[in-house]
Amino acid sequence: QVQLVESGGGLVQPGGSLRLSCSASGSTLDYLSIGWFRQAPGQEREVVSCISSTDRGTFYADSVKGRFTISRDNAKNTVYLQMNSLKPEATAVYFCATVTLVRVGVPIGCSGDVWGQGTQVTVSS
């Protein structure tokens, strides 16, 4: 059973950047699609971005398109989420998960299967 651990969260000022990492143990990520999700206080968990295990196709929520980039380094068994131009509304606990992709040709979303414990991201001046 794969286990996922997130890291890289913290406090950043609006307009700043963070890179989150999702490291796997217990299994290789080579054949797993991975997603990043976030949950703000009092709100439901929402998908941020997903990346395919096969063609590296990606999905981004409209709220992060053009500012966030998901990538994977299978040699390091790690998936990254580069977050630029951060806004206060990005404050949340960020989770990575193995996912099932929803595709219409390209990925249009994903649902989480096995979850990490989360890392806190706070965007505040």
Side-chain angles (χ1 to χ4, degrees):
Q1 175 85 349
V2 64
Q3 294 180 323
L4 303 176
V5 177
E6 302 92 338
S7 61
L11 173 64
V12 63
Q13 292 186 343
S17 298
L18 281 175
R19 188 178 78 159
L20 304 182
S21 299
C22 174
S23 299
S25 61
S27 178
T28 177
L29 285 183
D30 291 14
Y31 308 109
L32 296 172
S33 296
I34 300 294
W36 284 98
F37 300 76
R38 65 187 180 189
Q39 187 167 20
Q43 297 187 19
E44 293 187 355
R45 191 172 299 186
E46 63 176 0
V47 61
V48 176
S49 182
C50 325
I51 186 166
S52 167
S53 63
T54 54
D55 61 3
R56 301 206 174 193
T58 57
F59 166 82
Y60 294 95
D62 287 344
S63 58
V64 306
K65 278 181 183 176
R67 298 185 298 113
F68 289 16
T69 304
I70 191 170
S71 62
R72 61 192 301 151
D73 185 339
N74 288 348
K76 295 184 178 180
N77 230 24
T78 301
V79 172
Y80 302 99
L81 185 68
Q82 178 67 44
M83 306 187 295
N84 298 329
S85 302
L86 281 162
K87 304 176 182 180
E89 51 263 42
T91 296
V93 178
Y94 283 71
F95 301 86
C96 66
T98 63
V99 297
T100 299
L101 286 175
V102 179
R103 284 184 177 267
V104 180
V106 298
I108 61 169
C110 58
S111 60
D113 299 318
V114 177
W115 297 85
Q117 85 290 347
T119 185
Q120 176 71 46
V121 171
T122 302
V123 185
S124 175
S125 54

